[in-house]
Amino acid sequence: MADLVKEFNDYRSKMNEKLLADNNKVIKRIFNVDTNAYMEGALDVKTKELLGLVASAVLRCDDCIKYHLETAYKNGVTKEEMMESMGIATLVGGTIVIPHLRRAYEFWEALEEQSSK
């Protein structure tokens, strides 16, 4: 199951390198704004990652959900905090979010498995 995390990260890294190498100023600025938005500020990084996770679930972006799950996990978010946040996302987004909730839970388990090795 930990391959799920590796496959996601390998693909994401490969494609980000290609996109950024294309030297499109707008794309580079969007990536930069995204990076800076999730830095420590009035809100801590954990809170910002959980906000990103909820927004990503409501918007039904599986890649975004995986990204925020991994970053949240690395920043000390607990499974309980993640599940409470995903509960809010499912409430706000409706039952159409449930398939994304399933995949999010599976990815979280892969993160746990990966870190236990």
Side-chain angles (χ1 to χ4, degrees):
M1 189 185 299
D3 288 342
L4 188 64
V5 175
K6 183 177 177 351
E7 287 172 18
F8 171 73
N9 285 324
D10 288 350
Y11 177 76
R12 186 175 176 276
S13 293
K14 178 181 87 172
M15 293 311 298
N16 282 353
E17 282 180 36
K18 287 183 177 193
L19 290 167
L20 293 171
D22 198 59
N23 210 25
N24 180 293
K25 185 167 59 173
V26 173
I27 297 295
K28 283 186 172 188
R29 286 187 176 172
I30 290 170
F31 273 57
N32 184 269
V33 167
D34 182 71
T35 298
N36 286 311
Y38 287 94
M39 295 176 125
E40 192 83 23
L43 296 174
D44 62 18
V45 174
K46 280 177 59 171
T47 301
K48 287 182 176 188
E49 288 302 330
L50 290 172
L51 288 169
L53 175 62
V54 169
S56 297
V58 170
L59 293 169
R60 301 187 306 273
C61 175
D62 282 333
D63 279 7
C64 304
I65 292 168
K66 288 176 183 174
Y67 173 79
H68 289 293
L69 282 171
E70 184 168 14
T71 308
Y73 186 84
K74 288 178 178 176
N75 280 281
V77 169
T78 66
K79 188 175 190 175
E80 292 76 20
E81 291 169 325
M82 179 276 293
M83 285 301 294
E84 191 165 319
S85 298
M86 288 301 292
I88 297 296
T90 306
L91 171 68
V92 172
T95 56
I96 197 165
V97 174
I98 291 173
H100 304 277
L101 173 62
R102 289 184 194 114
R103 287 188 290 275
Y105 196 90
E106 176 185 36
F107 196 77
W108 188 270
E109 287 182 326
L111 290 167
E112 290 176 325
E113 180 184 308
Q114 181 183 54
S115 70
S116 69
K117 289 182 178 181

